[in-house]
Amino acid sequence: MVKYYDIPFEQIGGIKELWEKNRQYHENTSKHFKEIYQFIRFDEKAKSFSGFPKDKLKITVAEKDNQYVGYCISTIRGDKGEVESLHVDSESRRMGIGRELMNRHIKWLREKSSKVIGVTVSQENDSTISFYKKLGFYPNTLYMQMK
């Protein structure tokens, strides 16, 4: 059975291993920007969330057999909600964990009166784009970057 619950920012270190798997996934699957993912560090990314008030940051974990198998981090800036990071361990995919995490965050963002809810996805990540489309997200703009 999978349990879902929120953790405070002070416990963000508990998702470091999963976050690193997410980073490695992007590094391994990126055709054009592997080097960008090589240098992203958990501690630096986690620190970027430290300034958010408690009511503007949500970190939810999915736990199975006393181990984290997924997480979702969302923030609110003004009236815009952003899903900052989502990951489900490869062995626990296709069980609805990612969908459940996202549904909980979308609900929270709506309850907090976010007028816009967004997520940034690598253009190269077709399966993740498809996942977000099933939840009602669609591309709005395309940011292009030189190598």
Side-chain angles (χ1 to χ4, degrees), residues 16-138:
K16 183 176 182 174
E17 182 180 331
L18 281 175
W19 185 91
E20 181 60 25
K21 287 180 180 183
N22 189 31
R23 186 202 62 74
Q24 288 173 347
Y25 168 81
H26 287 289
E27 181 181 337
N28 293 338
T29 59
S30 179
K31 297 173 192 162
H32 303 290
F33 298 103
K34 290 181 185 299
E35 67 280 354
I36 290 174
Y37 297 107
Q38 289 174 342
F39 298 109
I40 299 173
R41 297 292 169 250
F42 175 79
D43 294 338
E44 293 170 12
K45 188 63 177 171
K47 188 177 179 181
S48 72
F49 300 125
S50 66
F52 279 89
K54 290 181 182 185
D55 65 333
K56 304 289 183 184
L57 173 69
K58 183 174 179 74
I59 306 169
T60 306
V61 294
E63 182 182 278
K64 185 172 124 187
D65 300 326
N66 295 317
Q67 185 172 356
Y68 291 159
V69 295
Y71 73 85
C72 187
I73 303 172
S74 294
T75 59
I76 300 173
R77 291 177 182 91
D79 64 355
K80 182 178 183 198
E82 185 76 21
V83 177
E84 301 281 353
S85 186
L86 170 73
H87 185 73
V88 175
D89 200 33
S90 59
E91 295 86 36
S92 297
R93 291 187 186 146
R94 305 249 180 242
M95 297 173 53
I97 295 170
R99 179 177 291 277
E100 180 64 25
L101 288 166
M102 283 298 298
N103 286 338
R104 288 170 181 253
H105 279 246
I106 291 167
K107 180 180 179 205
W108 176 75
L109 291 166
R110 286 185 175 147
E111 287 172 353
K112 294 289 186 176
S113 301
S114 295
K115 293 187 186 336
V116 176
I117 299 174
V119 61
T120 301
V121 183
S122 169
Q123 185 70 23
E124 299 174 315
N125 198 341
D126 293 330
S127 63
T128 301
I129 291 170
S130 176
F131 168 78
Y132 285 121
K133 281 184 176 180
K134 290 176 187 172
L135 292 170
F137 290 85
Y138 290 93

